[in-house]
Amino acid sequence: MTAVLGGCGSTGSSDVTLELVAADYGDSAASSSKKYWDDLAEGYESRHPGVKVHVDVYSWNDVDRKVKEMVAAGHAPDLAQIGAYADYAAAGKLYPASDLLSIRTQADFLSSLADAGQWQHVQYGIPFAASTRVLFYNKTLFGEAGITPPTNWSELAADAGALKAKGVKYPYALPLGPEEAQAETLQWLLSGGNGYTDDVGTYTIDSPQNVKTFTWLKDELVGKGLTGPVAPGRLNRADAFAAFADGQVGMLNGHPTLMQQAARKGVKFGMVPLPGRTGRARASMGVTDWMMGFRQNGHAEQIGDFLDYAYQEKNVLAFSREYGLLPVTDSASNTMAESGAARDKELRPFLDQLPTSQQYPVGKTSWAAVSAAVKKDIGQAVAPTGSPAGVLTRLQSAASAADSANSG
């Protein structure tokens, strides 16, 4: 336990500069996360005159690579807010969360997210921001087709057929292209009753349920021309979102930022839980981005004190509201759930799913390699000449090999 519990006390040191590398959640210079971090650092420094916080913000295209290069060069930052932590934990480069955070801060995290931050049963990844996925549908197109939102796969296929009959370009957009295929894949695996791993963390990519799921996708959606003119393996998530915002998509899985994107274009949309094979999916997909503290510079006390400040409810809410993301703490989540503000009400369908959502297997050091393999190959499973069982078996073999090699 750190010596500092209040978040506003003296760190007992002076003239320390904490180096923080963070991801940019904005979509322009005006909305860059740099402003949030600069304001947060200024607020912290005003209470802690002996500590400075220097923040560098990079796009998501660059931030993970940038931190990896810094660590490899022997110049690890004190703090990194990026997409994955397990490799650094396995290499012994991170502080356990319990060495940094006050008991109050640790206890405030949503338990499912804190658990997802564990490597070998010790928490190293500190949740920073989260999102879940729901099924978006175009209300105008649904009205013209005389259909209602689906609650199971057969209804989804029937709705897609009705949309196609009305000339909708993408009745159901299925982005299995390399940008974010691992996300669309997990959503469908969950809706089919399984996932990437079993309850003890063993990869189950080629399970009978998963093979059935992709066989259904291939035969009942893709094979019947219900996924649009671009082959799913070549359709990226960003392009699918853009097409939805242009009114060309009847349905697709989406996260909170799609609300803003569609609203800017005047698209009237609704949101429902992702349908499962015979009813609501057993779990929604959740994605968490991570904060972590590096050991190299020995600033555990200052790192922990700054994080206790950063995770105060007002700061967590400010970031979540600015970028349409879900808070990772119980206190902020409860405040958002009870809020009457329109911006908070919009996030409620996503917020309701977060406590029971299923994350990527981020605690496995093999996950980065497995995710890359899924991005590269999963689109072939639904191609006209593709074999769902064959593709999933190859991915399972690659996952098992990566798992053995990493022993993670």
Side-chain angles (χ1 to χ4, degrees):
M1 187 175 72
T2 61
V4 179
L5 298 179
C8 289
S10 169
T11 62
S13 301
S14 60
D15 301 323
V16 169
T17 297
L18 295 178
E19 299 289 343
L20 166 61
V21 175
D24 195 348
Y25 290 81
D27 56 10
S28 67
S31 64
S32 172
S33 303
K34 186 74 162 66
K35 182 179 186 304
Y36 172 84
W37 285 113
D38 286 347
D39 289 346
L40 191 74
E42 183 179 343
Y44 178 77
E45 290 169 357
S46 69
R47 295 165 173 80
H48 303 81
V51 181
K52 298 294 183 184
V53 183
H54 178 265
V55 185
D56 287 312
V57 173
Y58 297 92
S59 77
W60 273 110
N61 292 331
D62 301 321
V63 67
D64 290 289
R65 174 183 53 81
K66 181 64 178 177
V67 172
K68 185 176 182 179
E69 290 172 352
M70 294 172 71
V71 172
H75 302 294
D78 295 287
L79 291 152
Q81 186 270 298
I82 52 178
Y85 65 85
D87 285 353
Y88 299 122
K93 296 186 180 297
L94 301 181
Y95 288 111
S98 58
D99 285 1
L100 300 174
L101 303 172
S102 70
I103 293 173
R104 176 181 295 179
T105 300
Q106 274 195 278
D108 197 24
F109 290 114
L110 292 169
S111 59
S112 61
L113 304 187
D115 290 346
Q118 293 183 0
W119 179 77
Q120 293 192 345
H121 310 294
V122 176
Q123 185 185 354
Y124 294 92
I126 303 169
F128 181 74
S131 67
T132 59
R133 303 293 195 269
V134 299
L135 184 74
F136 282 72
Y137 66 96
N138 184 308
K139 287 186 173 181
T140 302
L141 298 179
F142 266 59
E144 292 171 351
I147 55 178
T148 56
T151 61
N152 57 46
W153 287 4
S154 61
E155 290 177 5
L156 187 149
D159 284 351
L163 291 164
K164 182 183 180 182
K166 285 291 184 179
V168 175
K169 187 173 182 180
Y170 294 91
Y172 179 88
L174 182 67
L176 295 176
E179 178 197 1
E180 204 184 38
Q182 84 285 359
E184 186 75 13
T185 297
L186 180 54
Q187 290 166 88
W188 278 101
L189 298 184
L190 291 171
S191 71
N194 200 224
Y196 284 122
T197 62
D198 61 18
D199 291 340
V200 296
T202 302
Y203 285 112
T204 57
I205 296 172
D206 64 347
S207 70
Q209 299 103 308
N210 290 345
V211 172
K212 286 181 181 178
T213 294
F214 268 83
T215 299
W216 186 88
L217 282 173
K218 180 178 184 292
D219 294 345
E220 301 300 324
L221 287 188
V222 183
K224 293 183 178 179
L226 301 179
T227 54
V230 179
R234 295 201 300 271
L235 181 65
N236 281 325
R237 189 266 310 166
D239 295 329
F241 277 21
F244 185 83
D246 287 337
Q248 299 176 337
V249 175
M251 300 174 278
L252 83 170
N253 293 322
H255 53 65
T257 58
L258 182 56
M259 293 191 300
Q260 302 165 353
Q261 193 173 346
R264 283 197 297 265
K265 293 287 192 76
V267 171
K268 295 180 180 179
F269 61 88
M271 300 179 293
V272 294
L274 180 64
R277 189 182 299 275
T278 57
R280 184 169 176 170
R282 73 179 182 93
S284 63
M285 187 191 84
V287 176
T288 303
D289 300 325
W290 303 97
M291 179 70 75
M292 60 211 71
F294 283 86
R295 291 179 176 275
Q296 181 175 328
N297 301 318
H299 293 153
E301 189 175 340
Q302 293 83 5
I303 291 170
D305 195 55
F306 174 70
L307 290 178
D308 284 341
Y309 176 79
Y311 282 103
Q312 290 179 11
E313 181 183 324
K314 64 178 181 179
N315 295 325
V316 173
L317 282 171
F319 187 87
S320 299
R321 287 165 171 165
E322 177 69 23
Y323 295 105
L325 293 163
L326 304 180
V328 297
T329 61
D330 283 314
S331 58
S333 293
N334 292 336
T335 297
M336 182 175 281
E338 296 167 3
S339 169
R343 62 184 176 181
D344 291 340
K345 286 182 177 180
E346 289 176 343
L347 288 170
R348 203 155 296 157
F350 302 92
L351 190 65
D352 290 344
Q353 297 186 136
L354 186 58
T356 58
S357 64
Q358 184 163 320
Q359 306 280 319
Y360 299 129
V362 290
K364 296 172 76 67
T365 55
S366 56
W367 169 240
V370 174
S371 176
V374 171
K375 290 179 182 181
K376 178 176 178 290
D377 293 337
I378 195 64
Q380 299 170 22
V382 297
T385 59
S387 165
V391 171
L392 293 178
T393 297
R394 289 200 303 274
L395 289 171
Q396 174 68 29
S397 296
S400 297
D403 219 17
S404 297
N406 285 277
S407 299

